[in-house]
Amino acid sequence: MSAHDKILIVEGNYLLLKDTPWNELQQFWDETIFINPGVEVLQKRLVARLLNYGLDDESARNKALINDIPNAHYVLENSIPADIHFE
């Protein structure tokens, strides 16, 4: 990033969290966008991605349900509202 940069796009699941240290980043955002396809769609996409990584169906579903989906719920429940929200 330099003084000549006009637009910088930053992406991440935790960038709007209310929790420290993530909340300290909010001073740097001019505009925020949150994309929420819904937990059901997210779960399908996560399982498909994990299957592509070589996990079998049961392992992919377990990883999504034990780790990723609870994490998604946490982000949904503990983030500040975005300026723009897509569902």
Side-chain angles (χ1 to χ4, degrees):
M1 187 163 96
S2 74
H4 302 292
D5 294 328
K6 301 294 181 199
I7 297 174
L8 177 65
I9 298 173
V10 181
E11 176 274 331
N13 291 334
Y14 302 143
L15 297 177
L16 296 178
L17 280 181
K18 298 174 188 175
D19 302 343
T20 302
W22 300 104
N23 63 349
E24 296 169 12
L25 295 171
Q26 294 162 15
Q27 63 183 314
F28 300 111
W29 316 143
D30 291 324
E31 191 159 17
T32 58
I33 300 171
F34 192 89
I35 301 171
N36 179 6
V39 175
E40 185 176 307
V41 170
L42 180 60
Q43 181 176 327
K44 288 178 185 178
R45 291 178 182 172
L46 286 167
V47 170
R49 183 184 324 154
L50 293 167
L51 291 171
N52 285 334
Y53 289 158
L55 271 65
D56 61 76
D57 190 61
E58 182 179 353
S59 297
R61 290 185 189 289
N62 284 340
K63 180 171 176 12
L65 291 173
I66 291 170
N67 182 57
D68 298 316
I69 296 303
N71 196 29
H73 282 287
Y74 187 83
V75 168
L76 289 169
E77 295 166 7
N78 293 286
S79 293
I80 64 166
D83 299 316
I84 300 169
H85 189 107
F86 292 106
E87 291 197 30

